[in-house]
Amino acid sequence: TKAFPPLTLVLAATPSLGIGQGGTLPWPQLKKEMGYFARVTKRVSEGGRRINAVVMGRKTWDSIPEKFRPLKGRLNVVITRTPEELSRSLGMKGGGDKEVEVEGPIVAESVMAALERLRAFDHTAEEEREEESRGKIHRVFVIGGASVYHAALELPQAERVLLTKIKKEYDCDTFFGVDLDREGSGWVRRSRGELEEWTGESVQEGGLEQEGVGFEFGMYERVR
Ligand code: FOL
């Protein structure tokens, strides 16, 4: 029986694989890079009846500006060992002294538990389906941070990484654990054409530049 659902890690990193600094991204806002992230994580093949999921750690959830979370058009899943603490902060939205219940993310205590919740959600989707059809969830993206990437990489389900290489160094206190370009890393870089095909994005050869910062989109797949 095949590992399900497949996972795609999405991240941007500096040359030394830095991904975070002080609870936020290390670089000044790169609108085109964030736009790519948003489009790729939202895009589904059969528009309308399917949705993608984004799985993230609690600190990543906290790092997303309140007005952008839950990330719209995607099923949000937050990993925390203390779900009751997260629920408390979720209930506060709406301002004032009254706590207002808002549509929140799915909460799970581990990446494994998150996948179980997603499988259950998929089976619970109301549409009738062919026996072979995979249900309501199209793709599952792991969007960080470091400890959630680390846990996901331990699983055979993690078969793809969308890595944006930021071509400038910034002070970072959080790093991605695997050098995907290293020979024998167990990962292989796919071509720009293959990235375009998989993501549905049209990608500039040689990358982009914004605010004097160069960056390039890449895709890696697990080998074996
Ligand atoms: N992957 C890549 N390639 N770039 C990233 O910046 C990135 N960031 C995270 C995970 N993977 C990434 C985690 N951090 C938002 C903010 C922080 C964040 C992830 C997402 C966010 O607000 N996203 C909005 C877009 C808002 C906008 O258009 O400015 C979204 O709808 O996705």
Side-chain angles (χ1 to χ4, degrees), residues 165-179:
K165 290 182 175 178
I166 308 290
K167 300 174 182 175
K168 189 174 167 186
E169 215 42 92
Y170 292 90
D171 285 331
C172 296
D173 59 21
T174 312
F175 296 82
F176 186 65
V178 181
D179 177 6

Side-chain angles (χ1 to χ4, degrees), residues 2-184:
K2 213 203 164 203
F4 188 85
L7 298 177
T8 298
L9 279 62
V10 191
L11 67 144
T14 69
S16 56
L17 298 182
I19 60 170
Q21 168 68 16
T24 184
L25 296 172
W27 40 83
Q29 199 170 314
L30 302 172
K31 221 163 170 282
K32 290 176 183 170
E33 208 294 309
M34 189 56 85
Y36 167 87
F37 167 88
R39 288 190 306 276
V40 167
T41 55
K42 279 181 204 169
R43 188 170 286 126
V44 290
S45 47
E46 305 153 61
R49 46 178 299 282
R50 302 181 89 193
I51 190 172
N52 293 330
V54 287
V55 176
M56 72 195 90
R58 192 268 305 164
K59 291 178 188 173
T60 295
W61 170 266
D62 285 344
S63 81
I64 298 171
E66 267 191 48
K67 61 177 176 187
F68 289 131
R69 72 192 198 209
L71 295 177
K72 64 170 187 268
R74 290 146 287 184
L75 186 62
N76 287 229
V77 184
V78 177
I79 313 283
T80 174
R81 290 183 189 87
T82 55
E84 56 291 350
E85 285 178 40
L86 185 68
S87 313
R88 201 179 310 144
S89 79
L90 289 171
M92 298 295 271
K93 197 169 174 182
D97 42 15
K98 288 178 208 136
E99 294 195 4
V100 180
E101 280 296 324
V102 293
E103 71 150 276
I106 292 176
V107 178
E109 295 203 37
S110 67
V111 174
M112 282 287 281
L115 298 188
E116 282 161 26
R117 298 291 300 271
L118 287 172
R119 283 192 292 260
F121 178 93
D122 215 33
H123 292 297
T124 307
E126 68 245 58
E127 291 100 335
E128 314 133 28
R129 307 186 294 266
E130 306 289 304
E131 207 170 290
E132 282 297 298
S133 113
R134 287 208 296 276
K136 195 176 194 302
I137 296 172
H138 179 225
R139 288 171 171 172
V140 180
F141 293 97
V142 174
I143 67 165
S147 68
V148 172
Y149 289 136
H150 183 89
L153 288 168
E154 302 283 304
L155 304 175
Q157 283 93 332
E159 48 185 49
R160 186 182 313 276
V161 178
L162 297 175
L163 169 65
T164 303
K165 290 182 175 178
I166 308 290
K167 300 174 182 175
K168 189 174 167 186
E169 215 42 92
Y170 292 90
D171 285 331
C172 296
D173 59 21
T174 312
F175 296 82
F176 186 65
V178 181
D179 177 6
L180 303 172
D181 291 313
R182 186 181 59 83
E183 183 95 23

